[in-house]
Amino acid sequence: MSSAPARLTVLAGPTAVGKGTVVTELRRRHPDLFVSVSATTRSPRPGEINGVHYHFVTDEEFDALVAQGQMLEWALVHGAHRYGTPRRPVQDQLDAGRPALLEIDLDGARQVHQTMPEAQLVFLAPPSWEELVARLTGRGTEDAHEQERRLATARMEMDAIDEFDHVIINDTVARATDELEGLLGLKG
């Protein structure tokens, strides 16, 4: 008797929509859930830990990973830094019959869709544009110039919502997490 292969789920959405917050709540509920740790060329934000939040790498290290085919997807995000998903940990989870979750940007989701069309694409959307702006400015992690740049990118990301299999409105973390939990087949 063969079972269906484990499914890769890709969670994407605009900056400050709460992807990290929803994934954190999902992991609290399901500590064994595999969530890929992305590699990035940006510097750590206060409190971020290398290997936990991201794998912080130099431009040269990132170039080597790409050249060796070790990235499932990668992209230049906000025109400033590269982010990508190391391929091997994700494939190991899927090969073992366990689901894998990627929390990535729009370009990355498109790349995954090209190489793994069976992946489930989930878009996390804000309840309104005004709420997204308030979340970005309220978190205080970017200066005004960076906020403007991220909001310009967010407008383009919102325009791609129809490319996704499912849309979850992040009006409350608990409700959005419940919905994602259902899509991952984690609800009993």
Side-chain angles (χ1 to χ4, degrees), residues 108-120:
R110 287 172 169 158
Q111 288 179 50
V112 170
H113 183 67
Q114 288 293 317
T115 59
M116 301 179 88
E118 68 280 8
Q120 172 176 233

PDB file of all heavy atoms in Angstrom, residues 108-120:
ATOM      1  N   GLY A 108       9.897  33.869  -4.644  1.00  0.00           N
ATOM      2  CA  GLY A 108      10.233  32.514  -4.225  1.00  0.00           C
ATOM      3  C   GLY A 108       9.082  31.549  -4.430  1.00  0.00           C
ATOM      4  O   GLY A 108       9.270  30.420  -4.890  1.00  0.00           O
ATOM      5  N   ALA A 109       7.871  31.996  -4.105  1.00  0.00           N
ATOM      6  CA  ALA A 109       6.691  31.146  -4.303  1.00  0.00           C
ATOM      7  C   ALA A 109       6.526  30.803  -5.775  1.00  0.00           C
ATOM      8  O   ALA A 109       6.199  29.662  -6.126  1.00  0.00           O
ATOM      9  CB  ALA A 109       5.445  31.857  -3.773  1.00  0.00           C
ATOM     10  N   ARG A 110       6.780  31.761  -6.636  1.00  0.00           N
ATOM     11  CA  ARG A 110       6.683  31.502  -8.079  1.00  0.00           C
ATOM     12  C   ARG A 110       7.722  30.481  -8.528  1.00  0.00           C
ATOM     13  O   ARG A 110       7.434  29.610  -9.348  1.00  0.00           O
ATOM     14  CB  ARG A 110       6.852  32.811  -8.853  1.00  0.00           C
ATOM     15  CG  ARG A 110       5.637  33.715  -8.743  1.00  0.00           C
ATOM     16  CD  ARG A 110       5.909  35.072  -9.360  1.00  0.00           C
ATOM     17  NE  ARG A 110       4.684  35.850  -9.481  1.00  0.00           N
ATOM     18  CZ  ARG A 110       4.666  37.174  -9.576  1.00  0.00           C
ATOM     19  NH1 ARG A 110       5.797  37.863  -9.568  1.00  0.00           N
ATOM     20  NH2 ARG A 110       3.509  37.803  -9.680  1.00  0.00           N
ATOM     21  N   GLN A 111       8.929  30.584  -8.002  1.00  0.00           N
ATOM     22  CA  GLN A 111       9.971  29.618  -8.361  1.00  0.00           C
ATOM     23  C   GLN A 111       9.613  28.219  -7.884  1.00  0.00           C
ATOM     24  O   GLN A 111       9.797  27.244  -8.618  1.00  0.00           O
ATOM     25  CB  GLN A 111      11.321  30.037  -7.778  1.00  0.00           C
ATOM     26  CG  GLN A 111      11.946  31.224  -8.459  1.00  0.00           C
ATOM     27  CD  GLN A 111      13.265  31.578  -7.810  1.00  0.00           C
ATOM     28  OE1 GLN A 111      14.119  30.732  -7.602  1.00  0.00           O
ATOM     29  NE2 GLN A 111      13.434  32.850  -7.482  1.00  0.00           N
ATOM     30  N   VAL A 112       9.121  28.113  -6.658  1.00  0.00           N
ATOM     31  CA  VAL A 112       8.727  26.801  -6.138  1.00  0.00           C
ATOM     32  C   VAL A 112       7.607  26.222  -7.003  1.00  0.00           C
ATOM     33  O   VAL A 112       7.624  25.038  -7.340  1.00  0.00           O
ATOM     34  CB  VAL A 112       8.296  26.884  -4.657  1.00  0.00           C
ATOM     35  CG1 VAL A 112       7.662  25.578  -4.196  1.00  0.00           C
ATOM     36  CG2 VAL A 112       9.498  27.224  -3.780  1.00  0.00           C
ATOM     37  N   HIS A 113       6.655  27.059  -7.395  1.00  0.00           N
ATOM     38  CA  HIS A 113       5.549  26.592  -8.236  1.00  0.00           C
ATOM     39  C   HIS A 113       6.077  26.043  -9.570  1.00  0.00           C
ATOM     40  O   HIS A 113       5.534  25.067 -10.098  1.00  0.00           O
ATOM     41  CB  HIS A 113       4.549  27.717  -8.473  1.00  0.00           C
ATOM     42  CG  HIS A 113       3.360  27.314  -9.270  1.00  0.00           C
ATOM     43  ND1 HIS A 113       2.411  26.416  -8.814  1.00  0.00           N
ATOM     44  CD2 HIS A 113       2.972  27.659 -10.518  1.00  0.00           C
ATOM     45  CE1 HIS A 113       1.495  26.237  -9.735  1.00  0.00           C
ATOM     46  NE2 HIS A 113       1.807  26.976 -10.791  1.00  0.00           N
ATOM     47  N   GLN A 114       7.114  26.651 -10.118  1.00  0.00           N
ATOM     48  CA  GLN A 114       7.708  26.179 -11.375  1.00  0.00           C
ATOM     49  C   GLN A 114       8.394  24.824 -11.195  1.00  0.00           C
ATOM     50  O   GLN A 114       8.257  23.948 -12.041  1.00  0.00           O
ATOM     51  CB  GLN A 114       8.729  27.197 -11.906  1.00  0.00           C
ATOM     52  CG  GLN A 114       8.104  28.448 -12.460  1.00  0.00           C
ATOM     53  CD  GLN A 114       7.304  28.176 -13.721  1.00  0.00           C
ATOM     54  OE1 GLN A 114       7.717  27.440 -14.597  1.00  0.00           O
ATOM     55  NE2 GLN A 114       6.123  28.784 -13.798  1.00  0.00           N
ATOM     56  N   THR A 115       9.140  24.664 -10.104  1.00  0.00           N
ATOM     57  CA  THR A 115       9.905  23.423  -9.912  1.00  0.00           C
ATOM     58  C   THR A 115       9.116  22.332  -9.200  1.00  0.00           C
ATOM     59  O   THR A 115       9.427  21.152  -9.360  1.00  0.00           O
ATOM     60  CB  THR A 115      11.201  23.696  -9.116  1.00  0.00           C
ATOM     61  OG1 THR A 115      10.869  24.250  -7.846  1.00  0.00           O
ATOM     62  CG2 THR A 115      12.115  24.647  -9.869  1.00  0.00           C
ATOM     63  N   MET A 116       8.108  22.705  -8.422  1.00  0.00           N
ATOM     64  CA  MET A 116       7.295  21.747  -7.684  1.00  0.00           C
ATOM     65  C   MET A 116       5.825  22.151  -7.805  1.00  0.00           C
ATOM     66  O   MET A 116       5.229  22.657  -6.853  1.00  0.00           O
ATOM     67  CB  MET A 116       7.725  21.691  -6.218  1.00  0.00           C
ATOM     68  CG  MET A 116       9.172  21.294  -6.021  1.00  0.00           C
ATOM     69  SD  MET A 116       9.640  21.256  -4.269  1.00  0.00           S
ATOM     70  CE  MET A 116       9.182  19.571  -3.873  1.00  0.00           C
ATOM     71  N   PRO A 117       5.212  21.938  -8.989  1.00  0.00           N
ATOM     72  CA  PRO A 117       3.837  22.407  -9.194  1.00  0.00           C
ATOM     73  C   PRO A 117       2.813  21.766  -8.257  1.00  0.00           C
ATOM     74  O   PRO A 117       1.714  22.289  -8.101  1.00  0.00           O
ATOM     75  CB  PRO A 117       3.554  22.066 -10.655  1.00  0.00           C
ATOM     76  CG  PRO A 117       4.594  21.094 -11.054  1.00  0.00           C
ATOM     77  CD  PRO A 117       5.770  21.293 -10.157  1.00  0.00           C
ATOM     78  N   GLU A 118       3.179  20.669  -7.604  1.00  0.00           N
ATOM     79  CA  GLU A 118       2.263  20.033  -6.656  1.00  0.00           C
ATOM     80  C   GLU A 118       2.217  20.763  -5.315  1.00  0.00           C
ATOM     81  O   GLU A 118       1.361  20.474  -4.470  1.00  0.00           O
ATOM     82  CB  GLU A 118       2.661  18.564  -6.431  1.00  0.00           C
ATOM     83  CG  GLU A 118       3.971  18.367  -5.700  1.00  0.00           C
ATOM     84  CD  GLU A 118       5.246  18.513  -6.539  1.00  0.00           C
ATOM     85  OE1 GLU A 118       5.178  18.919  -7.718  1.00  0.00           O
ATOM     86  OE2 GLU A 118       6.327  18.230  -5.998  1.00  0.00           O
ATOM     87  N   ALA A 119       3.106  21.717  -5.110  1.00  0.00           N
ATOM     88  CA  ALA A 119       3.113  22.480  -3.862  1.00  0.00           C
ATOM     89  C   ALA A 119       1.820  23.289  -3.736  1.00  0.00           C
ATOM     90  O   ALA A 119       1.260  23.771  -4.717  1.00  0.00           O
ATOM     91  CB  ALA A 119       4.314  23.415  -3.799  1.00  0.00           C
ATOM     92  N   GLN A 120       1.368  23.430  -2.504  1.00  0.00           N
ATOM     93  CA  GLN A 120       0.169  24.208  -2.180  1.00  0.00           C
ATOM     94  C   GLN A 120       0.606  25.641  -1.873  1.00  0.00           C
ATOM     95  O   GLN A 120       1.411  25.863  -0.967  1.00  0.00           O
ATOM     96  CB  GLN A 120      -0.494  23.568  -0.959  1.00  0.00           C
ATOM     97  CG  GLN A 120      -1.631  24.320  -0.366  1.00  0.00           C
ATOM     98  CD  GLN A 120      -2.275  23.556   0.778  1.00  0.00           C
ATOM     99  OE1 GLN A 120      -3.470  23.363   0.761  1.00  0.00           O
ATOM    100  NE2 GLN A 120      -1.524  23.110   1.773  1.00  0.00           N
TER     101      GLN A 120
END
